[in-house]
Amino acid sequence: MTIHPSLITRIGIGKLIGLIFGLAGFFLLPYLSPESDTLLRWGVLFWYITVGAVIGIFGVITWHPLLHLPLPWWFRAPLIGGWMNFVLTFFAYDAFQSIIVSIFGSDFYATSPFWFVLEGALIGLIIGFFATLFGGEVKATVPDAPSEGGF
């Protein structure tokens, strides 16, 4: 799929796409939820950069050692993105609850902030696709160790 697969490229692509989504959240949050805190905006920005880096790093793991099941990128990346947003929702439940209510209103039937888990899975799928497309996956991303002659 790629000419020169690299783990560094995977991580860089993941962080770049995470930066794009983080900037979108950073700039859209004041319009979607005017009462949200500035620290939440910065947190969202840095959160998605971190999610991109984690998805990039996990490109070398394509087999679950305990369950003996394959982990293709289209399963692994949304799982990581969804899990990371699941954890984020636990830490900032009230803030995300107010964002959902300010966007949809309090009488909306799905006001749970755990909808951000689905958002994380979708963003993870996008990050995983581009990280795999440009950075490759599996052992091809990790160079061989240098020979015993030195560095």
Side-chain angles (χ1 to χ4, degrees):
M1 201 180 232
T2 59
I3 297 172
H4 300 290
S6 166
L7 184 60
I8 300 301
T9 303
R10 279 190 62 86
I11 296 169
I13 293 294
K15 288 170 72 172
L16 178 67
I17 296 171
L19 173 67
I20 292 167
F21 282 110
L23 284 172
F26 184 84
F27 289 117
L28 288 175
L29 201 56
Y31 298 108
L32 298 175
S33 179
E35 71 276 356
S36 62
D37 189 15
T38 305
L39 286 177
L40 181 65
R41 292 175 62 201
W42 284 104
V44 166
L45 173 65
F46 295 137
W47 182 260
Y48 283 111
I49 295 171
T50 305
V51 169
V54 171
I55 290 172
I57 290 169
F58 273 89
V60 296
I61 300 175
T62 59
W63 183 259
H64 195 286
L66 298 176
L67 300 177
H68 301 290
L69 294 172
L71 293 173
W73 72 267
W74 50 264
F75 178 78
R76 182 182 61 237
L79 181 70
I80 294 168
W83 175 255
M84 295 283 285
N85 272 21
F86 182 70
V87 172
L88 176 65
T89 303
F90 268 112
F91 286 124
Y93 185 89
D94 294 333
F96 285 114
Q97 177 74 36
S98 72
I99 292 170
I100 292 287
V101 169
S102 68
I103 293 172
F104 298 110
S106 60
D107 57 344
F108 186 66
Y109 68 93
T111 58
S112 172
F114 287 104
W115 283 104
F116 286 103
V117 174
L118 179 61
E119 178 206 20
L122 292 174
I123 290 173
L125 184 68
I126 294 168
I127 291 172
F129 173 76
F130 285 108
T132 303
L133 180 67
F134 293 112
E137 62 181 349
V138 197
K139 287 179 78 173
T141 62
V142 182
D144 293 329
S147 62
E148 285 193 32
F151 296 98

